[in-house]
Amino acid sequence: MPSQKPRLNITLDDDIKEVLIRLSKLKNKPQAAIVNEYLREMYPFLVSLADALEDVENKKNAFPHLIKMSAEINKRAMTVNSDMSDMLSQVGWVNKDD
């Protein structure tokens, strides 16, 4: 049965389309699923950005939303750095004890 979820038609730049093709093959997933996964991961930032822009439009202080976004970015960056360090140590490129 076809999905009842809303659909969005987008036009992609060539470089983005090429990398989606590569990821789709490597992950054995449809390109749309990959795009949806990344958008799902970005959802908290999109909500904060929309909230901040609404506050600016309504002449309110958007700074709390920006602080929240910055804190989340820093937290995710630490996780990514840790994951990368783990992967590099697994392939012997980095000694984790250094």
Side-chain angles (χ1 to χ4, degrees), residues 42-60:
M42 287 182 57
Y43 180 79
F45 299 104
L46 296 173
V47 170
S48 291
L49 179 59
D51 290 344
L53 290 172
E54 285 175 348
D55 280 356
V56 168
E57 190 173 88
N58 294 323
K59 309 267 191 274
K60 294 181 181 175

Side-chain angles (χ1 to χ4, degrees), residues 76-95:
R76 288 180 183 230
M78 288 186 332
T79 300
V80 168
N81 287 338
S82 177
D83 291 348
M84 285 176 35
S85 178
D86 290 345
M87 286 190 302
L88 291 173
S89 67
Q90 288 175 9
V91 295
W93 287 8
V94 172
N95 184 350

Side-chain angles (χ1 to χ4, degrees), residues 45 66-76:
F45 299 104
L66 300 176
I67 291 171
K68 181 179 174 184
M69 290 170 70
S70 179
E72 184 63 28
I73 289 168
N74 287 331
K75 185 172 95 176
R76 288 180 183 230

